[in-house]
Amino acid sequence: MMPEQTVKKDSVEEMSTDMDAETLGLKSVGKVYHNLDYEKLFEHETTNEEGRISANGTMMVDTGKFTGRSPKDKYFVHQKPSFENIAWGKINQPMAPEVFDELYADVTDYLSDKDIYVTDGFCGANERTRKSVRFVTEFAWQAHFVKNMFIRPDQDEAGSFAPNFTVYNASNLANEKWEEHGLNSEVFVVFNIEKNVAIIGGTWYGGEMKKGIFTMMNYWLPMEGILSMHCSANVGKAGDVALFFGLSGTGKTTLSTDSSRKLIGDDEHGWDDDGIFNFEGGCYAKCIDLSPDNEPEIYGAIRRDALLENVVACNKGIIDFQDGTKTENTRVSYPIEHIENHEPSLKAGHPKNIIFLTCDAFGVLPPVSKLTKKQAMYYFLSGYTAKVAGTERGVTEPQATFSSCFGEAFLPLPPTTYAELLGEKLEKHGVNAYLVNTGWTGGGYGVGERMSIKATRACINAILDGSILDAEFEQTNWFRLNIPKSLPGVDSSLLNPRNAWADKENFDVTANKLAGMFIENFKKYTSDNDDFDYTQAGPRT
Ligand code: ATP
Ligand code: MN
């Protein structure tokens, strides 16, 4: 386990004086560093010894013992009126208001008198529905992270900034009384909808702030009839918009970053009556095995103002992107301006194509399938991907994950709320839907290999330029998915997964097994809600 992070701020001189304790909801304040620019953040990170500088001048930090989110430590305050709306359960756990009040006092006491970083950002590129969020953090790198990820206010906007929501992040404060409070651990990430406040303690990980506000957007927007989505988006020269849905590691960031199309955003979007819009002002890309050949735009985005997390570098600052010893989840955040071909408004019209990405480690799903409307609803509600088994040697069995709407971990409302909105929009705008498997081919994990990025991009290009519509289609067994027999730039033997497997018998057994998992998972939508009985569109065993 890594040591706790400590901060050495004595030698940083300048201070922002425009914020007092009362404005910040604290008892007292030390130095308040409000909306520091990138240069100043860099200086603070260096002076505080929060990070090192890579060979090309990019800040590299270690996020401490937390290199990922802590979903089991996430709570909503259980109170009127929001308790009627929330889908309570393992994902959205209740916290008693009294426990919140106690932790809130702990967090604000803890931050009082400390030197703190205050960072203001917008969530949502649509001015009418965007939220103004204020982050209070202990570390300069956390301020840097939220500055990269949220939409940066211009000078006027910063001057008149009035937060709709405030996040207090007391990373180093663990909740010693977690057992007494009936909680999961000393880590807490708590949202108080009525008070428009979130408190975080016991974890340093920046992703809690990013995905925490995403969770709040997933609460606020559907209430106004706007769909919020865990997807990336880009737009072609003809104004044709594509959305890429998918769980973590399926390729949202990789595949939406495409030099021939303008990037709208890589992770979180809204869809209203005018079209789609990004929630964020930056991207958060995986760095493991990153190569300039496969992902030149992302590789090129790693420069000054970007922020690298948990990568391994030699003493000259040269990064070994293959090295996952700190975590496999090495990341870089960067402002979207680091991708040359991005859309500055962060908005676009209604989508023409939506693509569900899945990383099927069983190697059963085809590289690309065209979905009917009902299949689109089925695969959206199923939210399937598969993880490869952990580090245990000899264990090669993949693990299926089903997460509704490809993001159930971030959905405070029942998944059917989002599915209903999506269904209406697909119908209204005549959107084409596809399923793309960025996972294994020629066999499951351990036998086959992962689809090359090149092959996946060729499938995506055929969708985006419409050439897939000219292909001859056939239907697969079990999943009854419509797949093209050939596509430009793709080895035809890959298109039908059964053909790609040497061991056909094993394919049939595996496909049948995966179909069974889909059917089992989907039962939750068929018991009491006929509106969402899309079972007919799913696989058969
Ligand atoms: P998150 O929600 O965690 O941000 P994501 O959906 O954005 O996840 P990516 O960051 O794009 O996922 O991760 C996809 C990873 O898989 C990248 O590291 C990429 O290099 C790798 N990869 C390997 N083969 C493929 C492929 N065929 N298509 C897409 N990505 C691939
Ligand atoms: Mn991503």
Side-chain angles (χ1 to χ4, degrees):
M1 203 186 274
M2 287 185 186
E4 292 206 343
Q5 296 204 337
T6 49
V7 178
K8 208 179 78 182
K9 293 191 188 122
D10 323 334
S11 39
V12 185
E13 282 308 320
E14 77 296 328
M15 137 182 200
S16 164
T17 50
D18 66 338
M19 300 203 97
D20 53 25
E22 199 188 335
T23 312
L24 289 167
L26 300 173
K27 285 188 182 146
S28 54
V29 286
K31 290 179 183 168
V32 179
Y33 302 112
H34 186 200
N35 288 339
L36 294 190
D37 63 21
Y38 280 113
E39 288 311 305
K40 279 272 175 279
L41 285 168
F42 193 88
E43 212 177 280
H44 280 237
E45 286 161 333
T46 313
T47 316
N48 300 348
E49 294 178 11
E50 293 183 22
R52 291 167 57 207
I53 301 161
S54 80
N56 85 342
T58 311
M59 185 57 64
M60 306 184 284
V61 296
D62 285 346
T63 60
K65 66 181 167 188
F66 293 90
T67 56
R69 287 178 299 103
S70 306
K72 289 183 181 141
D73 299 305
K74 180 173 156 185
Y75 303 88
F76 282 93
V77 180
H78 191 263
Q79 62 194 355
K80 278 183 187 169
S82 61
F83 77 74
E84 299 201 30
N85 303 327
I86 291 176
W88 298 106
K90 279 201 175 113
I91 290 170
N92 301 306
Q93 306 176 93
M95 176 179 279
E98 306 75 53
V99 175
F100 173 82
D101 290 344
E102 202 179 319
L103 290 175
Y104 180 76
D106 289 348
V107 165
T108 48
D109 281 357
Y110 175 88
L111 290 168
S112 294
D113 271 337
K114 287 233 162 37
D115 294 349
I116 50 174
Y117 296 88
V118 177
T119 311
D120 298 331
F122 297 115
C123 193
N126 189 332
E127 285 83 355
R128 278 180 285 122
T129 51
R130 74 185 178 192
K131 298 289 174 183
S132 303
V133 187
R134 173 162 289 165
F135 299 90
V136 181
T137 62
E138 290 182 77
F139 301 113
W141 75 260
Q142 292 171 325
H144 187 171
F145 175 75
V146 290
K147 189 184 187 78
N148 281 350
M149 295 314 303
F150 288 83
I151 297 174
R152 292 162 287 284
D154 64 27
Q155 210 157 15
D156 287 344
E157 290 167 332
S160 59
F161 197 88
N164 303 117
F165 198 87
T166 303
V167 179
Y168 293 98
N169 195 330
S171 314
N172 269 326
L173 177 76
N175 176 18
E176 306 294 345
K177 297 204 276 182
W178 62 273
E179 277 166 310
E180 194 183 310
H181 289 152
L183 307 180
N184 172 61
S185 83
E186 58 184 27
V187 177
F188 55 95
V189 180
V190 195
F191 300 87
N192 192 322
I193 293 174
E194 278 68 21
K195 292 191 172 150
N196 286 306
V197 161
I199 51 172
I200 299 175
T203 170
W204 299 262
Y205 195 63
E208 302 289 2
M209 294 185 281
K210 167 187 156 62
K211 283 299 207 289
I213 297 302
F214 180 49
T215 302
M216 289 306 306
M217 293 297 272
N218 287 327
Y219 182 86
W220 290 316
L221 265 49
M223 300 276 186
E224 301 177 45
I226 301 168
L227 176 60
S228 53
M229 307 171 287
H230 188 214
C231 70
S232 60
N234 64 20
V235 55
K237 291 200 178 71
D240 57 305
V241 174
L243 301 181
F244 305 78
F245 290 84
L247 290 164
S248 187
T250 56
K252 292 184 298 300
T253 300
T254 300
L255 299 168
S256 60
T257 311
D258 173 342
S259 59
S260 67
R261 298 173 63 84
K262 281 190 174 158
L263 179 66
I264 310 290
D266 82 325
D267 199 51
E268 310 172 1
H269 290 81
W271 187 351
D272 64 17
D273 291 340
D274 299 327
I276 58 128
F277 56 96
N278 193 354
F279 289 170
E280 303 181 288
C283 304
Y284 195 35
K286 284 183 189 298
C287 291
I288 198 78
D289 297 331
L290 185 66
S291 83
D293 292 338
N294 276 329
E295 301 180 62
E297 294 82 16
I298 293 174
Y299 192 86
I302 304 180
R303 50 188 150 95
R304 186 78 178 228
D305 299 349
L307 180 64
L308 286 154
E309 295 176 10
N310 303 316
V311 294
V312 176
C314 70
N315 54 15
K316 288 185 183 139
I318 297 163
I319 299 161
D320 179 359
F321 287 108
Q322 267 72 49
D323 196 328
T325 45
K326 290 180 191 169
T327 172
E328 286 286 313
N329 192 27
T330 53
R331 291 269 184 169
V332 60
S333 66
Y334 47 87
I336 196 161
E337 291 79 13
H338 280 205
I339 300 295
E340 196 184 338
N341 200 13
H342 74 279
E343 168 50 49
S345 70
L346 304 174
K347 287 184 237 177
H350 297 290
K352 182 173 176 194
N353 295 297
I354 65 169
I355 297 167
F356 299 141
L357 301 173
T358 182
C359 178
D360 177 23
F362 290 95
V364 164
L365 295 179
V368 58
S369 329
K370 185 168 192 323
L371 302 176
T372 64
K373 287 266 146 60
K374 285 188 171 144
Q375 283 177 326
M377 294 303 285
Y378 182 88
Y379 285 94
F380 185 65
L381 280 164
S382 295
Y384 166 74
T385 196
K387 291 190 190 114
V388 293
T391 47
E392 244 177 286
R393 223 184 297 174
V395 179
T396 53
E397 179 75 351
Q399 241 174 346
T401 305
F402 294 94
S403 176
S404 313
C405 315
F406 298 100
E408 197 172 2
F410 320 116
L411 304 182
L413 307 176
T416 48
T417 309
Y418 308 90
E420 208 167 312
L421 281 168
L422 183 79
E424 281 168 24
K425 291 190 187 294
L426 295 186
E427 199 65 53
K428 186 167 172 196
H429 302 287
V431 185
N432 298 313
Y434 297 88
L435 180 67
V436 165
N437 175 15
T438 65
W440 270 251
T441 176
Y445 176 73
V447 177
E449 54 189 27
R450 192 159 179 194
M451 208 81 66
S452 71
I453 295 183
K454 200 164 154 269
T456 298
R457 282 203 193 272
C459 293
I460 302 243
N461 289 342
I463 293 170
L464 300 180
D465 68 17
S467 58
I468 195 170
L469 299 172
D470 302 328
E472 198 186 323
F473 281 81
E474 61 179 327
Q475 207 174 60
T476 66
N477 291 330
W478 291 285
F479 284 82
R480 290 173 295 152
L481 289 163
N482 296 311
I483 58 172
K485 287 186 169 173
S486 73
L487 279 186
V490 190
D491 180 353
S492 295
S493 67
L494 295 179
L495 291 171
N496 187 330
R498 194 171 190 274
N499 297 344
W501 282 49
D503 185 348
K504 311 284 182 222
E505 210 172 307
N506 195 6
F507 176 86
D508 292 345
V509 171
T510 312
N512 191 55
K513 189 169 73 181
L514 184 62
M517 291 186 222
F518 267 84
I519 291 164
E520 189 56 34
N521 170 68
F522 211 78
K523 282 184 182 159
K524 59 181 178 243
Y525 295 115
T526 53
S527 50
D528 54 25
N529 199 335
D530 289 344
D531 288 352
F532 289 94
D533 192 352
Y534 291 101
T535 320
Q536 292 308 314
R540 280 189 291 224
T541 50

